[in-house]
Amino acid sequence: MALVTTAEVCDANPQLISSGELRALQPIFQIYGRRQVFSGPIVTLKVFEDNVLVREFLEEKGNGRVLVVDGGGSLRCAILGGNPVVQAQNNGWAGIVVNGCIRDVDEINGCDIGVRALASHPMKANKKGMGEKHVPITISGTRISDGEWLYADTDGILISRTELSV
């Protein structure tokens, strides 16, 4: 994905866009982390103002996957912080997309991993362990399923039903 931009992928695949096999997320995410371009198979997680399951996932080996967290769009606390992002980087995750807030931005920006989130917030999340793993999620009207592929660069984020040959 480093040589072909998301814009070029969109231009070259109008049939995949019209069929819904290739979708662009709305441009609501801020860019964090040192890796501005990343891609990989998606693992989904749905939580609300609780980060226990986020931390559990990132403790696993990432194997180039991208964790996509539907945090309900909450702007009231951060569901991802610096320590789990360092762990994700060390465990081989390609990236993390959070429909919610993060914190420890300076630490995250020092990590060699791609992170997208709505905003930063200094307050920490609850620790109840509530949420759903590997379920279809919807972020700003775009449905995302476990096992689909995510492609991100500075132009935006694409979701594809299958791995694209670029």
Side-chain angles (χ1 to χ4, degrees):
M1 193 64 197
L3 299 176
V4 179
T5 68
T6 55
E8 291 169 324
V9 169
C10 289
D11 292 350
N13 293 286
Q15 72 287 358
L16 294 179
I17 294 169
S18 63
S19 72
E21 298 212 14
L22 181 64
R23 286 109 51 216
L25 293 185
Q26 289 187 0
I28 57 175
F29 296 96
Q30 302 297 312
I31 297 173
Y32 302 98
R34 287 198 340 243
R35 195 179 300 176
Q36 294 190 340
V37 177
F38 62 95
S39 63
I42 294 170
V43 178
T44 59
L45 177 59
K46 186 173 187 161
V47 298
F48 188 73
E49 298 180 357
D50 189 313
N51 72 347
V52 171
L53 297 180
V54 175
R55 291 181 74 99
E56 285 179 6
F57 260 120
L58 298 176
E59 289 170 358
E60 300 174 9
K61 291 295 180 197
N63 300 315
R65 295 177 295 169
V66 177
L67 180 62
V68 181
V69 182
D70 181 4
S74 173
L75 300 176
R76 299 189 309 188
C77 66
I79 57 173
L80 181 67
N83 290 339
V85 172
V86 169
Q87 195 158 34
Q89 168 195 263
N90 295 339
N91 285 338
W93 289 85
I96 308 162
V97 176
V98 178
N99 184 27
C101 292
I102 65 168
R103 68 184 200 164
D104 306 321
V105 170
D106 290 341
E107 185 176 3
I108 290 170
N109 283 341
C111 293
D112 184 24
I113 189 169
V115 177
R116 301 292 190 272
L118 299 180
S120 61
H121 198 293
M123 292 178 61
K124 66 181 179 179
N126 295 315
K127 307 248 185 265
K128 296 178 183 172
M130 305 290 289
E132 299 175 88
K133 301 177 180 181
H134 306 292
V135 295
I137 59 177
T138 301
I139 297 177
S140 292
T142 301
R143 187 172 173 87
I144 303 167
S145 296
D146 214 65
E148 291 188 303
W149 280 73
L150 183 141
Y151 299 88
D153 64 14
T154 54
D155 283 335
I157 302 172
L158 298 177
I159 307 295
S160 175
R161 289 208 178 110
T162 59
E163 183 177 6
L164 298 172
S165 53
V166 291

